[in-house]
Amino acid sequence: MDYIDLEQWPRRAQFKFFSGLSFPFFNVTTSLDVTTLHRHTKARGLSFYYALIYATLHVMNGLPDFLYKIRGKQIILHGHLDPSFVVPNGDTHLLKIVNVPYGGTLEEFCSRCAHQVAVQHAPFPAGTEEARDDLVYISCLPWLSFTSLSNEMDCNPDDSIPRVTWGKYEARDGRLVLPYSVQLNHRLLDGWHLGELVNGVQAFLDAF
């Protein structure tokens, strides 16, 4: 983790401009073609959900602008981000949030996710984990598709944790397509960065 010299930071003017907003967040919902990923995970007995988390983190960690975080009047740069994702809590309809280190191969990551989900009985991570800002919040609505989405959150302009949510995939013209929603802090990231993320994830999925 490194502290950034704001006076030398290329984004200082944009950061200052969007810092005047009480709600500097933007959310875009687009679509991903997950045909090849679905085929790959089904053939290898992997979790489609964990695999799409892996794809998202793989691409986001390769885009340095996503690694900046706001801490009061300071900007820090993390070495990488880890996923904090939602799963059903056992046989109930209640949710559980699980944090898992990103890294390794797809198979290793899926195994690590399954293990943590199995051993974590509490619905939420420990308080120290909840205070981390080197996370990406990820959720899924596998029961339905959608065309827009909003996220629960405090209206804290310093909140720089991306929120990524996808919905139920549907067959369209012989392909499997799902809605993919991303919420970002405009103080740190613009539409161009979002395009780099979404296009990068699609390219990663197409390579399976």
Side-chain angles (χ1 to χ4, degrees), residues 90-105:
D91 295 327
T92 75
H93 64 280
L94 302 174
L95 61 82
K96 177 166 67 174
I97 296 176
V98 177
N99 295 353
V100 172
Y102 168 77
T105 65

Side-chain angles (χ1 to χ4, degrees), residues 137-159:
Y137 291 160
I138 293 180
S139 187
C140 176
L141 297 172
W143 312 279
L144 54 93
S145 184
F146 56 80
T147 56
S148 66
L149 184 87
S150 61
N151 291 288
E152 83 296 339
M153 62 186 300
D154 289 327
C155 291
N156 176 10
D158 290 350
D159 186 337

Side-chain angles (χ1 to χ4, degrees), residues 11-21 186-187:
R11 190 176 173 79
R12 62 188 180 280
Q14 290 79 8
F15 177 79
K16 182 178 180 180
F17 178 82
F18 289 110
S19 292
L21 303 176
H186 221 330
R187 298 170 73 191

Side-chain angles (χ1 to χ4, degrees), residues 9 11 15 68-70 75 160 185-189 193:
W9 190 33
R11 190 176 173 79
F15 177 79
Y68 290 105
K69 301 297 171 183
I70 305 167
I75 302 295
S160 27
N185 191 320
H186 221 330
R187 298 170 73 191
L188 297 176
L189 299 157
H193 302 99

Side-chain angles (χ1 to χ4, degrees), residues 79-151:
H80 78 283
L81 306 176
D82 293 323
S84 178
F85 59 90
V86 174
V87 294
N89 194 359
D91 295 327
T92 75
H93 64 280
L94 302 174
L95 61 82
K96 177 166 67 174
I97 296 176
V98 177
N99 295 353
V100 172
Y102 168 77
T105 65
L106 171 61
E107 290 75 13
E108 290 168 343
F109 178 77
C110 288
S111 176
R112 192 157 56 247
C113 288
H115 173 75
Q116 185 60 34
V117 168
V119 301
Q120 179 183 313
H121 300 295
F124 306 109
T128 53
E129 286 286 296
E130 284 295 293
R132 292 172 57 186
D133 62 1
D134 60 340
L135 297 171
V136 181
Y137 291 160
I138 293 180
S139 187
C140 176
L141 297 172
W143 312 279
L144 54 93
S145 184
F146 56 80
T147 56
S148 66
L149 184 87
S150 61
N151 291 288

Side-chain angles (χ1 to χ4, degrees), residues 1-101:
M1 182 184 72
D2 297 316
Y3 286 89
I4 303 303
D5 182 353
L6 289 177
E7 294 304 314
Q8 301 300 319
W9 190 33
R11 190 176 173 79
R12 62 188 180 280
Q14 290 79 8
F15 177 79
K16 182 178 180 180
F17 178 82
F18 289 110
S19 292
L21 303 176
S22 60
F23 191 83
F25 308 100
F26 68 102
N27 190 321
V28 173
T29 299
T30 185
S31 298
L32 289 179
D33 184 331
V34 296
T35 308
T36 56
L37 178 67
H38 183 266
R39 183 186 304 124
H40 181 87
T41 55
K42 186 174 182 180
R44 290 161 177 77
L46 301 173
S47 164
F48 174 83
Y49 181 40
Y50 300 158
L52 191 46
I53 294 174
Y54 182 87
T56 298
L57 268 293
H58 174 84
V59 175
M60 194 176 290
N61 276 312
L63 299 171
D65 288 309
F66 281 85
L67 305 181
Y68 290 105
K69 301 297 171 183
I70 305 167
R71 289 188 181 176
K73 296 182 179 181
Q74 294 181 311
I75 302 295
I76 64 168
L77 179 65
H78 284 296
H80 78 283
L81 306 176
D82 293 323
S84 178
F85 59 90
V86 174
V87 294
N89 194 359
D91 295 327
T92 75
H93 64 280
L94 302 174
L95 61 82
K96 177 166 67 174
I97 296 176
V98 177
N99 295 353
V100 172

